[in-house]
Amino acid sequence: MKVLVATEKPFAPVAVKGIKEVVEAAGYELALLEKYTEKSQLLAAVADADAMIIRSDKVDAEVLDAAKQLKIVVRAGAGYDNIDLAAATAHNVVAMNTPGQNANAVAELVMGMLVYAVRNFYNGKAGTELLGKKLGILAFGNVGRNVARIAKGFGMEILAFDAYCPAEAIEAAGVKAVKSTAELFEQSDIVSLHIPATPETTKSINADLVGKLPKGGILINTARKEVVDEASLLKLMEERTDLKYIADIKPDADAEFAAKFADRYFATPKKMGAQTAEANINAGLAAANQIVGFFKEGITKFKVN
Ligand code: 3PG
């Protein structure tokens, strides 16, 4: 039985070591494909794999066609928009994610990027503080909850909206639940995005919404670039010279944002949210254990297709 770890952006070595131990203790063999640059490398590596662990690596119909023995693919992380779920089902491949395992890492990065933003990207000019500011969290899942927990330590006022989470559950976490996304943007100084990329959310964060932020508002996106309507945000930021956009997922129009709004825009060169040893260990080991649990006991708890 072969378990392939295919990661264009590798896990920390300590996490790979842990995955290998779990896989070998179960009597399976580990194959490693890291930092690959061509899809053909993935197609070749997956040919004899029974299971596969990925991160943001794309698993489409072509990859599944090449994966003649594949029974399970686990996305070591939260968002599984990189897996063609219908194609996986058609190929009798179980797809899973590892929800929550990297949530703290992403949430810590949100706060780090916010400090960087309100201190004017450390350019020496007087900035502002987070204490007492209103932070709107869009979607109160694992990452949103961790952001709320940490932001409380900064003394921020926290609001949230989640179309799929009852207001009572948000309020139980000591966070003000608002009634809609529009209300969240109206009432917050900063909005942090934690929605998945789905047909429903794609381009849903547009100028109409972001334009509701008060003067000096900040939009921070550590979720997915697809959820932002980049063209309308570019236009809005030209009109509203007070707004900032901070992203851990480089927009398609990165060059245009950077050229036009050098002092109001920042994007990490590569998605860094989940890139900690702890998150890699948590998500990587969870993925390996879920594969073992699936083969040995038929456990499908985190199946998403
Ligand atoms: C996730 O969905 O879990 C995060 O976006 C992390 O993605 P990564 O594993 O590619 O860093």
Side-chain angles (χ1 to χ4, degrees), residues 237-275:
M237 285 178 69
E238 277 175 20
E239 291 155 16
R240 288 273 311 268
T241 56
D242 58 302
L243 295 177
K244 285 186 178 138
Y245 181 41
I246 309 299
D248 182 37
I249 44 285
K250 223 191 246 186
D252 291 331
D254 169 64
E256 201 175 342
F257 275 103
K260 286 187 170 151
F261 318 116
D263 54 349
R264 298 190 283 130
Y265 167 76
F266 173 76
T268 51
K270 201 155 196 141
K271 188 165 60 162
M272 290 298 297
Q275 203 56 327

mmCIF file of all heavy atoms in Angstrom, residues 237-275:
data_model
loop_
_atom_site.group_PDB
_atom_site.id
_atom_site.type_symbol
_atom_site.label_atom_id
_atom_site.label_comp_id
_atom_site.label_asym_id
_atom_site.label_seq_id
_atom_site.Cartn_x
_atom_site.Cartn_y
_atom_site.Cartn_z
ATOM 1 N N MET A 237 -10.812 51.288 -4.430
ATOM 2 C CA MET A 237 -9.625 51.807 -3.735
ATOM 3 C C MET A 237 -9.051 53.048 -4.411
ATOM 4 O O MET A 237 -8.342 53.829 -3.788
ATOM 5 C CB MET A 237 -8.570 50.703 -3.581
ATOM 6 C CG MET A 237 -8.952 49.705 -2.489
ATOM 7 S SD MET A 237 -7.794 48.341 -2.284
ATOM 8 C CE MET A 237 -6.345 49.146 -1.594
ATOM 9 N N GLU A 238 -9.371 53.224 -5.699
ATOM 10 C CA GLU A 238 -8.963 54.465 -6.381
ATOM 11 C C GLU A 238 -9.794 55.629 -5.852
ATOM 12 O O GLU A 238 -9.282 56.727 -5.644
ATOM 13 C CB GLU A 238 -9.145 54.325 -7.896
ATOM 14 C CG GLU A 238 -7.964 53.636 -8.543
ATOM 15 C CD GLU A 238 -8.159 53.365 -10.023
ATOM 16 O OE1 GLU A 238 -9.009 54.003 -10.663
ATOM 17 O OE2 GLU A 238 -7.447 52.483 -10.536
ATOM 18 N N GLU A 239 -11.098 55.351 -5.621
ATOM 19 C CA GLU A 239 -11.999 56.401 -5.116
ATOM 20 C C GLU A 239 -11.792 56.637 -3.626
ATOM 21 O O GLU A 239 -11.756 57.757 -3.158
ATOM 22 C CB GLU A 239 -13.467 56.002 -5.365
ATOM 23 C CG GLU A 239 -13.853 56.007 -6.836
ATOM 24 C CD GLU A 239 -15.040 55.073 -7.129
ATOM 25 O OE1 GLU A 239 -15.754 54.666 -6.181
ATOM 26 O OE2 GLU A 239 -15.224 54.739 -8.321
ATOM 27 N N ARG A 240 -11.681 55.540 -2.886
ATOM 28 C CA ARG A 240 -11.537 55.633 -1.420
ATOM 29 C C ARG A 240 -10.059 55.473 -1.066
ATOM 30 O O ARG A 240 -9.571 54.373 -0.818
ATOM 31 C CB ARG A 240 -12.368 54.533 -0.745
ATOM 32 C CG ARG A 240 -13.883 54.733 -0.790
ATOM 33 C CD ARG A 240 -14.374 55.587 0.379
ATOM 34 N NE ARG A 240 -13.878 55.157 1.677
ATOM 35 C CZ ARG A 240 -14.513 54.290 2.491
ATOM 36 N NH1 ARG A 240 -15.650 53.769 2.132
ATOM 37 N NH2 ARG A 240 -13.996 53.980 3.670
ATOM 38 N N THR A 241 -9.350 56.591 -1.001
ATOM 39 C CA THR A 241 -7.899 56.536 -0.808
ATOM 40 C C THR A 241 -7.519 56.230 0.645
ATOM 41 O O THR A 241 -6.342 56.228 0.995
ATOM 42 C CB THR A 241 -7.253 57.869 -1.244
ATOM 43 O OG1 THR A 241 -7.894 58.914 -0.497
ATOM 44 C CG2 THR A 241 -7.440 58.116 -2.725
ATOM 45 N N ASP A 242 -8.537 55.975 1.470
ATOM 46 C CA ASP A 242 -8.282 55.651 2.881
ATOM 47 C C ASP A 242 -8.271 54.134 3.134
ATOM 48 O O ASP A 242 -7.859 53.683 4.198
ATOM 49 C CB ASP A 242 -9.383 56.277 3.758
ATOM 50 C CG ASP A 242 -10.774 55.783 3.349
ATOM 51 O OD1 ASP A 242 -11.164 55.970 2.169
ATOM 52 O OD2 ASP A 242 -11.455 55.189 4.201
ATOM 53 N N LEU A 243 -8.734 53.358 2.161
ATOM 54 C CA LEU A 243 -8.897 51.911 2.394
ATOM 55 C C LEU A 243 -7.616 51.121 2.149
ATOM 56 O O LEU A 243 -6.831 51.458 1.254
ATOM 57 C CB LEU A 243 -10.001 51.363 1.480
ATOM 58 C CG LEU A 243 -11.417 51.866 1.726
ATOM 59 C CD1 LEU A 243 -12.366 51.280 0.683
ATOM 60 C CD2 LEU A 243 -11.896 51.504 3.139
ATOM 61 N N LYS A 244 -7.454 50.046 2.935
ATOM 62 C CA LYS A 244 -6.302 49.152 2.742
ATOM 63 C C LYS A 244 -6.792 47.745 2.421
ATOM 64 O O LYS A 244 -7.816 47.309 2.956
ATOM 65 C CB LYS A 244 -5.452 49.076 4.024
ATOM 66 C CG LYS A 244 -4.593 50.308 4.270
ATOM 67 C CD LYS A 244 -3.677 50.074 5.471
ATOM 68 C CE LYS A 244 -2.789 51.288 5.694
ATOM 69 N NZ LYS A 244 -2.659 51.653 7.101
ATOM 70 N N TYR A 245 -6.031 47.032 1.589
ATOM 71 C CA TYR A 245 -6.309 45.622 1.314
ATOM 72 C C TYR A 245 -5.060 44.799 1.622
ATOM 73 O O TYR A 245 -3.986 45.055 1.089
ATOM 74 C CB TYR A 245 -6.719 45.423 -0.156
ATOM 75 C CG TYR A 245 -7.056 43.978 -0.495
ATOM 76 C CD1 TYR A 245 -7.792 43.190 0.380
ATOM 77 C CD2 TYR A 245 -6.631 43.399 -1.694
ATOM 78 C CE1 TYR A 245 -8.095 41.866 0.085
ATOM 79 C CE2 TYR A 245 -6.935 42.078 -2.004
ATOM 80 C CZ TYR A 245 -7.670 41.323 -1.103
ATOM 81 O OH TYR A 245 -7.977 40.011 -1.393
ATOM 82 N N ILE A 246 -5.228 43.823 2.510
ATOM 83 C CA ILE A 246 -4.118 42.981 2.979
ATOM 84 C C ILE A 246 -4.493 41.540 2.647
ATOM 85 O O ILE A 246 -5.576 41.088 3.022
ATOM 86 C CB ILE A 246 -3.966 43.124 4.518
ATOM 87 C CG1 ILE A 246 -3.898 44.602 4.939
ATOM 88 C CG2 ILE A 246 -2.764 42.348 5.034
ATOM 89 C CD1 ILE A 246 -2.735 45.364 4.361
ATOM 90 N N ALA A 247 -3.591 40.819 1.975
ATOM 91 C CA ALA A 247 -3.964 39.472 1.528
ATOM 92 C C ALA A 247 -2.841 38.460 1.750
ATOM 93 O O ALA A 247 -1.667 38.758 1.541
ATOM 94 C CB ALA A 247 -4.327 39.497 0.047
ATOM 95 N N ASP A 248 -3.234 37.267 2.170
ATOM 96 C CA ASP A 248 -2.282 36.153 2.269
ATOM 97 C C ASP A 248 -2.434 35.233 1.059
ATOM 98 O O ASP A 248 -1.887 34.144 1.035
ATOM 99 C CB ASP A 248 -2.494 35.367 3.567
ATOM 100 C CG ASP A 248 -1.482 34.235 3.723
ATOM 101 O OD1 ASP A 248 -0.312 34.443 3.323
ATOM 102 O OD2 ASP A 248 -1.840 33.155 4.203
ATOM 103 N N ILE A 249 -3.219 35.687 0.101
ATOM 104 C CA ILE A 249 -3.334 34.938 -1.149
ATOM 105 C C ILE A 249 -3.302 35.989 -2.226
ATOM 106 O O ILE A 249 -4.228 36.783 -2.382
ATOM 107 C CB ILE A 249 -4.645 34.112 -1.264
ATOM 108 C CG1 ILE A 249 -5.823 34.860 -0.828
ATOM 109 C CG2 ILE A 249 -4.538 32.758 -0.631
ATOM 110 C CD1 ILE A 249 -6.172 35.138 0.503
ATOM 111 N N LYS A 250 -2.193 36.021 -2.907
ATOM 112 C CA LYS A 250 -1.943 37.046 -3.912
ATOM 113 C C LYS A 250 -3.100 37.132 -4.906
ATOM 114 O O LYS A 250 -3.438 36.122 -5.551
ATOM 115 C CB LYS A 250 -0.674 36.652 -4.649
ATOM 116 C CG LYS A 250 0.261 37.808 -4.893
ATOM 117 C CD LYS A 250 1.316 37.381 -5.844
ATOM 118 C CE LYS A 250 2.645 37.377 -5.141
ATOM 119 N NZ LYS A 250 3.730 37.109 -6.081
ATOM 120 N N PRO A 251 -3.694 38.328 -5.069
ATOM 121 C CA PRO A 251 -4.762 38.446 -6.074
ATOM 122 C C PRO A 251 -4.196 38.260 -7.478
ATOM 123 O O PRO A 251 -3.000 38.449 -7.694
ATOM 124 C CB PRO A 251 -5.254 39.890 -5.911
ATOM 125 C CG PRO A 251 -4.536 40.484 -4.761
ATOM 126 C CD PRO A 251 -3.423 39.577 -4.366
ATOM 127 N N ASP A 252 -5.066 37.907 -8.430
ATOM 128 C CA ASP A 252 -4.617 37.824 -9.830
ATOM 129 C C ASP A 252 -4.060 39.170 -10.272
ATOM 130 O O ASP A 252 -3.108 39.243 -11.030
ATOM 131 C CB ASP A 252 -5.787 37.412 -10.736
ATOM 132 C CG ASP A 252 -6.198 35.970 -10.474
ATOM 133 O OD1 ASP A 252 -5.322 35.173 -10.076
ATOM 134 O OD2 ASP A 252 -7.391 35.644 -10.643
ATOM 135 N N ALA A 253 -4.684 40.267 -9.769
ATOM 136 C CA ALA A 253 -4.256 41.622 -10.164
ATOM 137 C C ALA A 253 -3.214 42.181 -9.190
ATOM 138 O O ALA A 253 -3.168 43.394 -8.955
ATOM 139 C CB ALA A 253 -5.483 42.530 -10.230
ATOM 140 N N ASP A 254 -2.382 41.303 -8.645
ATOM 141 C CA ASP A 254 -1.367 41.731 -7.655
ATOM 142 C C ASP A 254 -0.525 42.905 -8.160
ATOM 143 O O ASP A 254 -0.328 43.889 -7.448
ATOM 144 C CB ASP A 254 -0.464 40.534 -7.325
ATOM 145 C CG ASP A 254 0.765 40.935 -6.531
ATOM 146 O OD1 ASP A 254 0.590 41.413 -5.398
ATOM 147 O OD2 ASP A 254 1.890 40.788 -7.033
ATOM 148 N N ALA A 255 -0.041 42.813 -9.392
ATOM 149 C CA ALA A 255 0.845 43.856 -9.926
ATOM 150 C C ALA A 255 0.120 45.203 -9.963
ATOM 151 O O ALA A 255 0.703 46.241 -9.616
ATOM 152 C CB ALA A 255 1.332 43.463 -11.317
ATOM 153 N N GLU A 256 -1.157 45.174 -10.347
ATOM 154 C CA GLU A 256 -1.929 46.414 -10.433
ATOM 155 C C GLU A 256 -2.198 47.000 -9.038
ATOM 156 O O GLU A 256 -2.052 48.205 -8.828
ATOM 157 C CB GLU A 256 -3.250 46.128 -11.168
ATOM 158 C CG GLU A 256 -3.872 47.374 -11.751
ATOM 159 C CD GLU A 256 -5.126 47.059 -12.573
ATOM 160 O OE1 GLU A 256 -5.326 45.887 -12.964
ATOM 161 O OE2 GLU A 256 -5.902 48.006 -12.782
ATOM 162 N N PHE A 257 -2.565 46.142 -8.105
ATOM 163 C CA PHE A 257 -2.781 46.614 -6.727
ATOM 164 C C PHE A 257 -1.481 47.236 -6.200
ATOM 165 O O PHE A 257 -1.494 48.317 -5.621
ATOM 166 C CB PHE A 257 -3.182 45.450 -5.804
ATOM 167 C CG PHE A 257 -4.655 45.125 -5.800
ATOM 168 C CD1 PHE A 257 -5.140 44.027 -6.491
ATOM 169 C CD2 PHE A 257 -5.554 45.903 -5.082
ATOM 170 C CE1 PHE A 257 -6.499 43.709 -6.479
ATOM 171 C CE2 PHE A 257 -6.910 45.594 -5.061
ATOM 172 C CZ PHE A 257 -7.386 44.496 -5.764
ATOM 173 N N ALA A 258 -0.360 46.528 -6.397
ATOM 174 C CA ALA A 258 0.923 46.991 -5.855
ATOM 175 C C ALA A 258 1.349 48.308 -6.495
ATOM 176 O O ALA A 258 1.851 49.204 -5.815
ATOM 177 C CB ALA A 258 1.982 45.918 -6.068
ATOM 178 N N ALA A 259 1.131 48.440 -7.801
ATOM 179 C CA ALA A 259 1.546 49.663 -8.499
ATOM 180 C C ALA A 259 0.680 50.848 -8.082
ATOM 181 O O ALA A 259 1.180 51.953 -7.872
ATOM 182 C CB ALA A 259 1.451 49.451 -10.007
ATOM 183 N N LYS A 260 -0.609 50.614 -7.924
ATOM 184 C CA LYS A 260 -1.525 51.727 -7.631
ATOM 185 C C LYS A 260 -1.572 52.116 -6.161
ATOM 186 O O LYS A 260 -1.800 53.271 -5.843
ATOM 187 C CB LYS A 260 -2.945 51.350 -8.087
ATOM 188 C CG LYS A 260 -3.111 51.379 -9.587
ATOM 189 C CD LYS A 260 -4.557 51.166 -9.963
ATOM 190 C CE LYS A 260 -4.776 51.435 -11.439
ATOM 191 N NZ LYS A 260 -5.877 50.641 -11.983
ATOM 192 N N PHE A 261 -1.421 51.133 -5.283
ATOM 193 C CA PHE A 261 -1.652 51.412 -3.853
ATOM 194 C C PHE A 261 -0.480 50.928 -2.995
ATOM 195 O O PHE A 261 -0.675 50.180 -2.031
ATOM 196 C CB PHE A 261 -2.951 50.728 -3.380
ATOM 197 C CG PHE A 261 -4.096 50.841 -4.349
ATOM 198 C CD1 PHE A 261 -4.636 49.706 -4.957
ATOM 199 C CD2 PHE A 261 -4.623 52.082 -4.679
ATOM 200 C CE1 PHE A 261 -5.686 49.805 -5.855
ATOM 201 C CE2 PHE A 261 -5.672 52.191 -5.579
ATOM 202 C CZ PHE A 261 -6.210 51.051 -6.174
ATOM 203 N N ALA A 262 0.719 51.367 -3.343
ATOM 204 C CA ALA A 262 1.921 50.867 -2.672
ATOM 205 C C ALA A 262 1.828 50.967 -1.154
ATOM 206 O O ALA A 262 2.287 50.070 -0.446
ATOM 207 C CB ALA A 262 3.131 51.630 -3.182
ATOM 208 N N ASP A 263 1.222 52.035 -0.633
ATOM 209 C CA ASP A 263 1.183 52.225 0.814
ATOM 210 C C ASP A 263 -0.125 51.740 1.443
ATOM 211 O O ASP A 263 -0.374 51.942 2.625
ATOM 212 C CB ASP A 263 1.415 53.698 1.160
ATOM 213 C CG ASP A 263 0.436 54.612 0.423
ATOM 214 O OD1 ASP A 263 -0.265 54.131 -0.499
ATOM 215 O OD2 ASP A 263 0.353 55.803 0.778
ATOM 216 N N ARG A 264 -0.989 51.081 0.635
ATOM 217 C CA ARG A 264 -2.287 50.627 1.169
ATOM 218 C C ARG A 264 -2.586 49.171 0.824
ATOM 219 O O ARG A 264 -3.693 48.687 1.008
ATOM 220 C CB ARG A 264 -3.419 51.501 0.623
ATOM 221 C CG ARG A 264 -3.317 52.943 1.016
ATOM 222 C CD ARG A 264 -4.558 53.697 0.652
ATOM 223 N NE ARG A 264 -4.637 54.020 -0.760
ATOM 224 C CZ ARG A 264 -5.695 53.788 -1.517
ATOM 225 N NH1 ARG A 264 -6.751 53.202 -1.025
ATOM 226 N NH2 ARG A 264 -5.703 54.129 -2.786
ATOM 227 N N TYR A 265 -1.580 48.497 0.294
ATOM 228 C CA TYR A 265 -1.796 47.129 -0.173
ATOM 229 C C TYR A 265 -0.585 46.278 0.167
ATOM 230 O O TYR A 265 0.559 46.709 0.012
ATOM 231 C CB TYR A 265 -2.007 47.138 -1.694
ATOM 232 C CG TYR A 265 -1.920 45.762 -2.326
ATOM 233 C CD1 TYR A 265 -2.966 44.855 -2.212
ATOM 234 C CD2 TYR A 265 -0.774 45.366 -3.025
ATOM 235 C CE1 TYR A 265 -2.875 43.589 -2.772
ATOM 236 C CE2 TYR A 265 -0.678 44.103 -3.593
ATOM 237 C CZ TYR A 265 -1.725 43.217 -3.466
ATOM 238 O OH TYR A 265 -1.644 41.973 -4.020
ATOM 239 N N PHE A 266 -0.867 45.063 0.646
ATOM 240 C CA PHE A 266 0.225 44.106 0.878
ATOM 241 C C PHE A 266 -0.291 42.697 0.628
ATOM 242 O O PHE A 266 -1.390 42.338 1.056
ATOM 243 C CB PHE A 266 0.754 44.202 2.319
ATOM 244 C CG PHE A 266 1.752 43.120 2.634
ATOM 245 C CD1 PHE A 266 3.061 43.194 2.155
ATOM 246 C CD2 PHE A 266 1.385 41.999 3.380
ATOM 247 C CE1 PHE A 266 3.975 42.171 2.411
ATOM 248 C CE2 PHE A 266 2.295 40.976 3.640
ATOM 249 C CZ PHE A 266 3.593 41.067 3.156
ATOM 250 N N ALA A 267 0.496 41.911 -0.079
ATOM 251 C CA ALA A 267 0.167 40.485 -0.263
ATOM 252 C C ALA A 267 1.427 39.664 -0.024
ATOM 253 O O ALA A 267 2.513 40.048 -0.472
ATOM 254 C CB ALA A 267 -0.362 40.233 -1.666
ATOM 255 N N THR A 268 1.283 38.549 0.685
ATOM 256 C CA THR A 268 2.431 37.666 0.902
ATOM 257 C C THR A 268 2.812 37.046 -0.449
ATOM 258 O O THR A 268 1.923 36.766 -1.272
ATOM 259 C CB THR A 268 2.090 36.536 1.886
ATOM 260 O OG1 THR A 268 0.877 35.905 1.448
ATOM 261 C CG2 THR A 268 1.903 37.062 3.289
ATOM 262 N N PRO A 269 4.090 36.813 -0.678
ATOM 263 C CA PRO A 269 4.507 36.232 -1.967
ATOM 264 C C PRO A 269 3.945 34.826 -2.160
ATOM 265 O O PRO A 269 3.664 34.407 -3.267
ATOM 266 C CB PRO A 269 6.026 36.195 -1.889
ATOM 267 C CG PRO A 269 6.419 36.879 -0.635
ATOM 268 C CD PRO A 269 5.217 37.130 0.200
ATOM 269 N N LYS A 270 3.783 34.091 -1.072
ATOM 270 C CA LYS A 270 3.245 32.737 -1.117
ATOM 271 C C LYS A 270 2.346 32.574 0.111
ATOM 272 O O LYS A 270 2.669 33.102 1.167
ATOM 273 C CB LYS A 270 4.402 31.731 -1.038
ATOM 274 C CG LYS A 270 4.020 30.405 -1.567
ATOM 275 C CD LYS A 270 5.223 29.607 -2.058
ATOM 276 C CE LYS A 270 4.701 28.483 -2.914
ATOM 277 N NZ LYS A 270 5.457 28.176 -4.062
ATOM 278 N N LYS A 271 1.224 31.843 -0.056
ATOM 279 C CA LYS A 271 0.291 31.693 1.073
ATOM 280 C C LYS A 271 1.011 31.153 2.308
ATOM 281 O O LYS A 271 1.553 30.054 2.299
ATOM 282 C CB LYS A 271 -0.860 30.772 0.657
ATOM 283 C CG LYS A 271 -1.974 30.715 1.677
ATOM 284 C CD LYS A 271 -3.250 30.109 1.129
ATOM 285 C CE LYS A 271 -3.096 28.698 0.644
ATOM 286 N NZ LYS A 271 -4.367 27.978 0.505
ATOM 287 N N MET A 272 1.002 31.956 3.377
ATOM 288 C CA MET A 272 1.800 31.658 4.568
ATOM 289 C C MET A 272 0.964 31.238 5.780
ATOM 290 O O MET A 272 1.510 30.828 6.800
ATOM 291 C CB MET A 272 2.594 32.917 4.971
ATOM 292 C CG MET A 272 3.714 33.289 4.023
ATOM 293 S SD MET A 272 4.961 32.000 3.910
ATOM 294 C CE MET A 272 5.560 31.972 5.596
ATOM 295 N N GLY A 273 -0.363 31.386 5.673
ATOM 296 C CA GLY A 273 -1.239 31.184 6.834
ATOM 297 C C GLY A 273 -0.984 29.886 7.575
ATOM 298 O O GLY A 273 -0.819 29.873 8.797
ATOM 299 N N ALA A 274 -0.942 28.789 6.838
ATOM 300 C CA ALA A 274 -0.800 27.474 7.476
ATOM 301 C C ALA A 274 0.653 27.020 7.521
ATOM 302 O O ALA A 274 0.929 25.871 7.839
ATOM 303 C CB ALA A 274 -1.638 26.444 6.721
ATOM 304 N N GLN A 275 1.569 27.938 7.187
ATOM 305 C CA GLN A 275 2.959 27.520 7.037
ATOM 306 C C GLN A 275 3.745 27.651 8.345
ATOM 307 O O GLN A 275 4.662 28.464 8.475
ATOM 308 C CB GLN A 275 3.572 28.321 5.857
ATOM 309 C CG GLN A 275 4.770 27.686 5.192
ATOM 310 C CD GLN A 275 4.551 26.282 4.657
ATOM 311 O OE1 GLN A 275 3.796 25.486 5.197
ATOM 312 N NE2 GLN A 275 5.255 25.945 3.600
#
